[in-house]
Amino acid sequence: MYFTKGNQMNELKDYVRTIPDFPEEGIMFRDITTVLQDAEGFALAVDSMLDAIKDVDFDVFALAESRGFIFGSAMAYKLSKPIALVRKKGKLPCETIEQEYELEYGTATLEMHTDSIKKGQRVVVVDDLIATGGTLKATCELVEKLGGEVVSIVALMELCGLEGRKKLDGYRVDTVLKYEGK
């Protein structure tokens, strides 16, 4: 998918800034702030993510904190679909369920309101990035605990070298941009 700006044809990858050796040497950090800072880049990102799931029949988006909120909210608005928020532990005010998952050094916990997904609802999970797959796997597990069915996971980018897709085996996974390495 492309966006024409003046006489220039931009691909979505043209809006992503790469910062070498951040946060540590050898890492090529893919920065989405440059996508968000450009209205055309942001529109292209949202439209590309929607295009990736155009054949998916679903009821609700489950959005992973925090950058999943950005892209997923715009997607939900365009399709007139509701949103279920997936947040870090202690951020939601009503009754919640939780799912712990592993980080590189330790664990973290995600939560959802118990009334955010109804039994039998078909759910698309949204985040900005698939890295190790831990956040998205935990999000899917929360949706399933509530009786929902994850019909797709969609992310703007995938860092293939971290093999997060392996952790998501059994789910449909759609990404717009794929980067080799970490």
Side-chain angles (χ1 to χ4, degrees), residues 6-93:
N7 292 335
Q8 183 180 354
M9 182 91 73
N10 286 339
E11 291 184 62
L12 183 55
K13 68 180 181 172
D14 297 332
Y15 293 97
V16 177
R17 174 173 42 198
T18 299
I19 303 169
D21 299 321
F22 182 83
E24 59 187 53
E25 192 170 330
I27 302 292
M28 299 297 282
F29 187 83
R30 308 302 176 170
D31 182 15
I32 64 158
T33 61
T34 48
V35 174
L36 301 173
Q37 291 168 344
D38 188 295
E40 293 151 349
F42 182 53
L44 184 56
V46 171
D47 290 346
S48 296
M49 292 172 77
L50 286 170
D51 191 53
I53 60 166
K54 66 181 175 226
D55 63 326
V56 178
D57 177 33
F58 68 101
D59 305 302
V60 61
F61 283 105
L63 310 182
E65 186 173 0
S66 64
R67 290 173 304 271
F69 292 2
I70 297 167
F71 294 104
S73 293
M75 294 166 68
Y77 174 77
K78 285 189 104 171
L79 296 182
S80 297
K81 297 279 187 183
I83 292 170
L85 298 180
V86 180
R87 303 225 40 209
K88 294 175 182 120
K89 186 176 175 91
K91 300 290 185 180
L92 292 170

Side-chain angles (χ1 to χ4, degrees), residues 120-162:
Q121 281 189 311
R122 297 170 56 81
V123 180
V124 170
V125 174
V126 180
D127 205 354
D128 69 318
L129 176 69
I130 298 174
T132 63
T135 300
L136 287 166
K137 177 70 171 168
T139 298
C140 292
E141 290 169 345
L142 285 168
V143 167
E144 291 163 349
K145 280 182 182 180
L146 292 173
E149 176 190 356
V150 176
V151 293
S152 179
I153 298 166
V154 64
L156 180 63
M157 298 184 301
E158 179 176 359
L159 303 178
C160 299
L162 294 175

